[in-house]
Amino acid sequence: MITGASSGIGATFARKLANDYDLLLVARRKDKLDQIAAELRAAYNTNIEVCVADLSNPAEVAELAERISGETDLGLLVNNAGFGTKGRFWEATLASQEQMHQLHIMATVCLTHAALANMVPRNQGAIINVASVAGFVRGPGSVSYCATKSWMNIFSEGLYVELAGMGSRVTVQTLCPGFTYSEFHDVLAVDRERVAGKSLWMTADFVVDASLKGLRTGQLYVIPGWRYRLLTSLISKLPSSLRLAVEAARSRDRVMQKEQ
Ligand SMILES: NC(=O)c1ccc[n+]([C@@H]2O[C@H](COP(=O)([O-])OP(=O)(O)OC[C@H]3O[C@@H](n4cnc5c(N)ncnc54)[C@H](OP(=O)(O)O)[C@@H]3O)[C@@H](O)[C@H]2O)c1
């Protein structure tokens, strides 16, 4: 099952997995899901099912969780659906912040719980949580985004420890992409070059290939691209007082840029 399969990284997972798995594709836009499902059915001899659900709605998440609990051969859950917001925490609407926490955190909790209760007794299967490089920083203007993606990393680490401790063959991966071409920044209506220049952007193909390579070796953290691996490893080594001072200065610079 792949959440957020109607575009970007999720749709790319679907295209790369369709040869090996029957797929359940989840998102809100039925037309997009149907289009991808038709394309994959025509290309592969695979059963592709579409499920329209708003995963920021707990009742719809619960229905999906029940669905995957009953799957006899559940092989993989990709918790990928996500979105960003703009503006300082208190300037963005509370509804958008709540929706993000529901989607990134509660949907991941609920679906992962159902998937692992299914996979662990069979001693097979894998979870990929699509977090972000943003989970390593406290980005001004993306407080809830960074916090929820950071939570995804810690949550995945906890599961990894539990599963490894019991010698389970079920694996967990936290995929941490940096800037990736998808609809994500179109939804935010931001200028890609202004956000991150040219050299930091990756294709969804590159990101998903790195994830699937990591899946084969049971790698917990997959951070596609050497620049992002270097960045996250440097950030992780900074004392938190220094890291926070740098991030606060960045925040001040951004405000001054906007005011100029
Ligand atoms: N692009 C980047 O630079 C980047 C970097 C790091 C991490 N990520 C993460 O990668 C993941 C995929 O994003 P993307 O880059 O592929 O962006 P995208 O093209 O905008 O895809 C986001 C997907 O999430 C789905 N979605 C959003 N809200 C949903 C909801 N309430 N219920 C169900 N589905 C929902 C969207 O489908 P519908 O609109 O049809 O529901 C869409 O399929 C996200 O978790 C994002 O945080 C992206």
Side-chain angles (χ1 to χ4, degrees), residues 23-259:
L23 297 178
L24 175 58
L25 308 179
V26 183
R28 292 165 302 179
R29 288 171 298 172
K30 186 174 184 320
D31 55 334
K32 287 264 190 179
L33 289 175
D34 283 342
Q35 202 181 320
I36 292 165
E39 171 199 321
L40 297 180
R41 282 183 203 117
Y44 305 99
N45 185 20
T46 305
N47 184 16
I48 313 282
E49 209 182 311
V50 155
C51 177
V52 177
D54 180 347
L55 299 179
S56 63
N57 178 333
E60 295 184 39
V61 175
E63 262 179 46
L64 259 180
E66 201 176 317
R67 168 72 204 278
I68 58 175
S69 299
E71 279 294 331
T72 49
D73 197 18
L74 182 68
L76 176 67
L77 166 66
V78 185
N79 285 308
N80 165 74
F83 71 101
T85 54
K86 283 199 289 194
R88 292 190 185 93
F89 174 72
W90 64 91
E91 291 166 347
T93 61
L94 177 59
S96 67
Q97 306 299 306
E98 285 177 339
Q99 197 188 359
M100 181 177 286
H101 281 76
Q102 282 293 343
L103 180 61
H104 294 176
I105 298 181
M106 289 318 297
T108 302
V109 166
C110 196
L111 297 178
T112 304
H113 190 269
L116 287 179
N118 177 325
M119 291 169 177
V120 174
R122 290 186 293 113
N123 203 20
Q124 68 181 60
I127 311 280
I128 297 176
N129 290 323
V130 183
S132 172
V133 159
F136 292 83
V137 295
R138 313 292 168 250
S142 306
V143 170
S144 290
Y145 187 77
C146 294
T148 54
K149 293 298 182 177
S150 183
W151 175 87
M152 273 186 145
N153 285 339
I154 307 300
F155 177 64
S156 306
E157 281 188 17
L159 294 174
Y160 178 89
V161 168
E162 279 191 347
L163 291 165
M166 63 185 277
S168 175
R169 290 173 58 199
V170 177
T171 57
V172 175
Q173 175 186 122
T174 186
L175 171 62
C176 302
F179 291 108
T180 306
Y181 292 111
S182 70
E183 292 183 14
F184 187 93
H185 293 88
D186 300 332
V187 174
L188 283 174
V190 293
D191 177 343
R192 286 194 176 79
E193 252 184 63
R194 194 150 178 247
V195 169
K198 270 188 184 155
S199 58
L200 284 176
W201 287 90
M202 302 177 290
T203 63
D205 252 24
F206 179 77
V207 168
V208 173
D209 281 345
S211 170
L212 296 179
K213 187 170 169 222
L215 192 66
R216 288 192 282 278
T217 55
Q219 200 179 328
L220 170 61
Y221 273 94
V222 172
I223 304 173
W226 67 268
R227 290 180 178 83
Y228 289 110
R229 282 194 291 281
L230 181 65
L231 184 75
T232 50
S233 106
L234 289 175
I235 289 170
S236 313
K237 285 180 183 59
L238 287 180
S240 53
S241 54
L242 177 57
R243 176 174 53 73
L244 291 173
V246 171
E247 288 177 331
R250 261 184 68 216
S251 178
R252 231 178 355 256
D253 287 349
R254 282 194 179 182
V255 172
M256 281 168 71
Q257 272 172 18
K258 272 190 189 162
E259 282 167 355

